[in-house]
Amino acid sequence: MMVRAIYRAICIQGGTAPYDRANLKVYYPGDYGDSAEERNSGVIPAHTSGAPFPVLIILPGINVGPEAYSWLAHTLVERGLVCVTFSHVAEEMPGYISLTPGLSIAALAPDNYGHRPSATVLGSILEELQLLNTTGVLEGKLNLDRIVLGGHSAGGSVALLNARADWFPGVCAAFSYGAHAGAATALGWPEDALFELPDALPVLIMGGTQDGCIANSGARYGKSQTSAAKERAAATESTAAAESAAATEGAAATEKVERTFDEALRSDRGDSYLAIIDGANHFSMAWPADHSTGRPFIDLPATQPDEQLRELLGQLVCQFCRYTTTADEESRLALDNFVEHGHPLVTRVDRR
């Protein structure tokens, strides 16, 4: 088996030009036969072993290019999934044009939340997957009843908030990294509010103890503890205050991620998981690093080797996806063992 991919361009339902387009890259298990046609066209048939394959749709962080998740797509395809990454440019807030996972800000307002999807691209991606399943190299190869939504940063929030099969048929699970359910005060929510997550499907919520982007974005959700601690440290110029500010920043890196699992998630079926990874920062999910876009300048440095962090993230995502899409007993046991015995790079692991 080799990892192969095809590209597609789609129109976004309800989109307004020029922001009504997205480009997809669909990774799949290929079965190279060294035929003249394969050599000439570069088109490799999909493998038949394990088909039809469950599907993972990876929703990106703001201004994080889809190539940053290629490593994860390769990891999952090698374990029997089809993975979709995409590139979509939109102006979701006036004056801010960016690569985006596709998010309706209006759908997150207090009067609207929970009544309609906030994910603006997913429906069109699912339509394209239906088409791909009827023709070409992926004909009959996609199990569109077993779709996982996965996301990083804002994409992780979109995945968690829209993990509803009644909105997006076929979706069976969701995971996030560096994301939480905090509701911004600018949308009309009270300070420190959390969106209530859909609770019908399994979720995997992951975060890092060095997530500076989350730690330094607290003011969006009310008075930022991190900002207040830094102000006190600057005003007093004391070592103790500086150490206190650093500790506050560390706690803020994971507080909303943990509260999302503890408070915003209401289910207790035993199929949802939390993993807080020691030394991982906001962009540990994205590789190779691209410091020309996004907000890496407010992130904290990772304190563990990047390769080890990605290996752990890939392992967790793979086990969760295999468990939720195929009821793979080995993956379920691996997750149970992870919860019961922990991991050297994990500061908190939980299940509910």
Side-chain angles (χ1 to χ4, degrees), residues 11-330:
C11 296
I12 306 302
Q13 302 167 355
T16 303
Y19 308 121
D20 57 348
R21 298 287 189 271
N23 296 320
L24 313 185
K25 188 174 184 180
V26 184
Y27 298 80
Y28 66 93
D31 186 14
Y32 181 55
D34 196 28
S35 68
E37 176 61 21
E38 289 168 330
R39 286 174 170 267
N40 184 55
S41 67
V43 178
I44 308 299
H47 219 289
T48 57
S49 177
F53 304 107
V55 177
L56 166 61
I57 300 173
I58 302 176
L59 295 108
I62 297 292
N63 281 325
V64 181
E67 63 281 354
Y69 310 106
S70 178
W71 72 270
L72 183 60
H74 277 253
T75 299
L76 273 292
V77 170
E78 289 169 353
R79 288 158 177 79
L81 277 79
V82 164
C83 291
V84 182
T85 64
F86 65 93
S87 177
H88 172 53
V89 175
E91 188 178 14
E92 291 161 342
M93 294 186 294
Y96 291 92
I97 300 171
S98 60
L99 277 174
T100 169
L103 177 64
S104 169
I105 301 298
L108 299 180
D111 291 340
N112 297 329
Y113 179 70
H115 297 293
R116 65 175 191 259
S118 55
T120 58
V121 181
L122 277 178
S124 301
I125 292 176
L126 293 178
E127 284 189 358
E128 185 64 21
L129 291 175
Q130 293 280 358
L131 181 61
L132 287 173
N133 211 24
T134 64
T135 185
V137 296
L138 293 178
E139 180 179 355
K141 300 298 191 300
L142 306 179
N143 185 348
L144 299 181
D145 292 324
R146 310 306 296 171
I147 298 171
V148 177
L149 304 181
H152 167 225
S153 191
S157 295
V158 173
L160 294 176
L161 299 181
N162 291 274
R164 291 180 51 165
D166 56 334
W167 286 349
F168 300 106
V171 171
C172 66
F175 72 82
S176 65
Y177 177 79
H180 56 76
T185 55
L187 297 175
W189 292 90
E191 289 192 2
D192 219 26
L194 296 173
F195 294 112
E196 183 175 337
L197 296 184
D199 61 3
L201 303 176
V203 299
L204 167 64
I205 297 172
M206 299 174 289
T209 61
Q210 291 293 104
D211 194 324
C213 290
I214 289 180
N216 288 297
S217 299
R220 295 176 177 179
Y221 313 99
K223 179 62 176 176
S224 168
Q225 291 181 334
T226 302
S227 297
K230 287 182 176 179
E231 289 171 4
R232 288 194 299 272
T236 61
E237 296 183 352
S238 75
T239 301
E243 291 175 349
S244 174
T248 300
E249 188 173 43
T254 64
E255 178 195 16
K256 277 193 167 52
V257 178
E258 295 185 71
R259 287 187 60 216
T260 295
F261 182 81
D262 294 333
E263 301 173 32
L265 181 65
R266 303 298 175 89
S267 66
D268 286 295
R269 296 182 304 268
D271 58 6
S272 293
Y273 301 86
L274 170 73
I276 301 298
I277 300 171
D278 184 37
N281 68 11
H282 192 72
F283 290 96
S284 291
M285 177 66 81
W287 181 83
D290 180 3
H291 291 171
S292 67
T293 62
R295 299 191 298 158
F297 44 82
I298 65 169
D299 205 1
L300 295 170
T303 58
Q304 302 288 350
D306 291 338
E307 295 81 2
Q308 290 184 25
L309 294 171
R310 285 196 303 276
E311 181 180 4
L312 176 57
L313 288 170
Q315 180 184 51
L316 287 172
V317 170
C318 178
Q319 290 168 347
F320 178 75
C321 289
R322 292 283 298 171
Y323 163 53
T324 55
T325 61
T326 68
D328 179 62
E329 185 67 10
E330 183 178 342

